[in-house]
C-alpha cells in the first residue's frame, strides 16, 4: 500500500514537472550578487541581478551569516536601497567582521542560489561625492590672480572624529576640451590653481577616497569664467598644513602624479 502511494506521488510530481517544461516553465536561473557598498563604514547595501525567472513568479531572499557563527539571518531591509537590494542599518553592521551572503531564488518549479559573497564592511567603503564645491577667483594686492577651490566632505561621513579619513582629487578642463587636468589634494578640502587660460570657461569636479575602499563618483560639475586680461601665472599649489615637510609632500606627489593636458609647460608650486 505504501509503495503504491509513493509511486502515485512521484508520478504526479513528474507529470507536474513535464507539464511545466512543456509550457516553457522552469526553475529560476542563478542570481548574481553584483555589488556591496558602504558609504560611511556604518551601514552597507548589497545589490543582485536576478537570473531567468523560468516563466513564473520568482521570490528572492538574501540570507547571511557572520564568520564563526552558525545562525543564518535574512535581509533586514529590502526597501531602503531599492529593487533587488538589501540594506543593513547600523544595528546590523559590524566592522572587521566577515559576512557570508547568498541570494536565493524560488518559484513553483524549484530554486537556485548565487555564489556566496564574502564581505568585510571595512573594505567596501565607497563614499558619496564631496559636497558644496565652490569656485572663486582671487587677486591679492600686488600678486597674480588664482582660482580658489573649496568643498566639504560627504554629508554622511564622520571625518571630525577620525572614524573615516578621506583623500581628495580635483579635475578641471576648459569647457570644450576633451581631456581633464587632475590634481591630488591629499586630505585638504581646498586647493589653489595658478595655471589657467584667460577668456576660457572652466569645468571643475572633485572626488574622494577613504584609506580602505574606493573612489567616490565625481561631484556635479561647477563652472567659472576666467576673464580676459593679464595672464595668470603658471603653476598649481594646494593649501597644505604639511607644506613645511618636503619629504612627505614629495611622497604624495610620487604616488599621485599630476596629469596636464595643456600644451604650455606647467610647473607645480608647493
Amino acid at each position: 500500500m505504501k509503495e503504491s502511494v509513493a509511486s502515485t506521488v512521484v508520478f504526479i510530481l513528474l507529470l507536474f514537472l513535464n507539464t511545466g517544461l512543456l509550457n516553457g516553465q522552469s526553475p529560476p536561473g542563478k542570481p548574481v550578487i553584483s555589488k556591496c557598498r558602504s558609504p560611511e563604514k556604518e551601514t552597507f547595501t548589497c545589490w543582485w541581478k536576478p537570473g531567468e525567472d523560468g516563466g513564473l513568479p520568482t521570490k528572492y531572499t538574501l540570507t547571511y551569516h557572520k564568520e564563526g557563527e552558525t545562525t543564518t539571518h535574512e535581509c533586514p531591509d529590502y526597501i531602503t536601497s531599492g529593487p533587488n537590494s538589501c540594506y543593513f542599518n547600523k544595528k546590523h553592521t559590524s566592522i572587521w567582521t566577515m559576512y557570508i551572503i547568498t541570494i536565493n531564488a524560488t518559484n513553483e518549479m524549484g530554486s537556485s542560489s548565487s555564489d556566496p559573497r564574502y564581505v568585510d564592511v571595512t573594505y567596501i567603503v565607497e563614499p558619496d561625492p564631496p559636497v558644496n564645491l565652490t569656485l572663486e577667483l582671487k587677486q591679492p594686492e600686488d600678486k597674480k590672480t588664482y582660482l580658489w577651490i573649496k568643498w566639504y566632505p560627504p554629508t554622511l561621513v564622520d571625518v571630525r572624529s577620525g572614524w573615516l579619513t578621506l583623500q581628495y582629487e580635483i579635475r578641471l578642463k576648459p569647457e570644450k576640451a576633451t581631456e581633464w587636468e587632475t590634481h591630488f589634494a591629499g586630505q585638504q578640502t581646498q586647493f589653489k590653481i595658478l595655471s589657467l587660460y584667460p577668456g576660457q570657461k572652466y569645468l571643475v569636479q572633485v572626488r574622494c577616497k577613504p584609506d580602505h575602499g574606493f573612489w567616490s563618483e565625481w561631484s556635479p560639475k561647477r563652472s567659472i569664467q576666467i576673464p580676459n586680461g593679464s595672464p595668470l601665472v603658471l603653476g598649481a599649489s594646494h593649501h597644505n598644513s604639511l607644506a613645511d615637510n618636503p619629504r612627505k609632500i614629495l611622497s604624495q606627489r610620487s604616488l599621485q602624479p599630476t596629469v596636464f593636458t595643456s600644451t604650455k609647460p606647467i610647473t607645480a608650486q608647493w
Side-chain angles (χ1 to χ4, degrees):
M1 182 66 179
K2 290 183 179 180
E3 291 180 357
S4 176
V5 171
S7 298
T8 301
V9 170
V10 171
F11 174 78
I12 293 173
L13 289 174
L14 290 174
L15 180 63
F16 173 77
L17 179 61
N18 288 331
T19 301
L21 292 174
L22 289 173
N23 291 331
Q25 298 172 342
S26 63
K30 183 177 180 179
V32 176
I33 300 175
S34 55
K35 184 176 183 179
C36 292
R37 170 186 177 253
S38 171
E40 63 331 47
K41 208 165 67 172
E42 296 183 66
T43 66
F44 74 102
T45 297
C46 287
W47 291 267
W48 66 85
K49 295 180 180 179
E52 296 293 330
D53 62 11
L56 292 166
T58 300
K59 179 181 179 181
Y60 293 90
T61 58
L62 180 148
T63 55
Y64 70 95
H65 68 275
K66 297 179 182 179
E67 191 173 39
E69 295 183 355
T70 56
T71 305
T72 299
H73 310 274
E74 187 176 350
C75 168
D77 181 351
Y78 289 109
I79 304 299
T80 298
S81 294
N84 302 324
S85 73
C86 176
Y87 173 72
F88 294 76
N89 61 21
K90 293 181 180 180
K91 179 181 177 181
H92 293 92
T93 301
S94 302
I95 64 169
W96 306 116
T97 299
M98 187 66 71
Y99 290 72
I100 296 90
I101 298 173
T102 305
I103 307 299
N104 310 287
T106 305
N107 65 19
E108 291 182 359
M109 298 293 289
S111 62
S112 63
S113 297
S114 70
D115 294 329
R117 173 70 70 93
Y118 295 81
V119 173
D120 185 331
V121 177
T122 307
Y123 295 100
I124 60 168
V125 178
E126 181 185 317
D128 294 330
V131 297
N132 297 336
L133 175 63
T134 59
L135 311 176
E136 184 180 357
L137 282 176
K138 291 191 174 185
Q139 187 172 14
E141 188 176 353
D142 299 327
K143 293 185 179 180
K144 298 294 185 179
T145 302
Y146 62 86
L147 174 61
W148 192 238
I149 305 172
K150 297 186 292 184
W151 61 89
Y152 288 93
T155 306
L156 295 178
V157 175
D158 178 11
V159 294
R160 292 187 177 182
S161 69
W163 176 248
L164 201 62
T165 301
L166 296 178
Q167 298 180 348
Y168 300 93
E169 188 174 60
I170 300 160
R171 70 178 184 179
L172 72 158
K173 69 171 183 175
E175 185 176 30
K176 296 182 180 180
T178 57
E179 296 184 4
W180 295 85
E181 172 185 315
T182 61
H183 299 273
F184 180 65
Q187 296 179 23
Q188 306 306 307
T189 55
Q190 48 196 357
F191 200 91
K192 182 188 298 184
I193 297 289
L194 304 170
S195 174
L196 297 166
Y197 290 101
Q200 292 283 338
K201 183 179 181 181
Y202 276 82
L203 305 179
V204 181
Q205 291 178 289
V206 62
R207 65 177 180 172
C208 58
K209 179 183 180 298
D211 291 340
H212 304 289
F214 305 93
W215 283 106
S216 71
E217 298 290 332
W218 288 101
S219 67
K221 296 183 182 74
R222 297 297 302 271
S223 64
I224 189 167
Q225 180 70 40
I226 309 303
N228 287 308
S230 59
L232 305 181
V233 71
L234 295 179
S237 67
H238 63 77
H239 182 75
N240 194 325
S241 60
L242 301 177
D244 56 352
N245 189 338
R247 289 188 177 181
K248 193 164 287 188
I249 293 173
L250 182 60
S251 175
Q252 286 183 346
R253 292 179 63 196
S254 63
L255 290 173
Q256 296 286 342
T258 301
V259 178
F260 299 101
T261 61
S262 168
T263 56
K264 286 189 176 183
I266 298 178
T267 304
Q269 297 178 351
W270 299 84

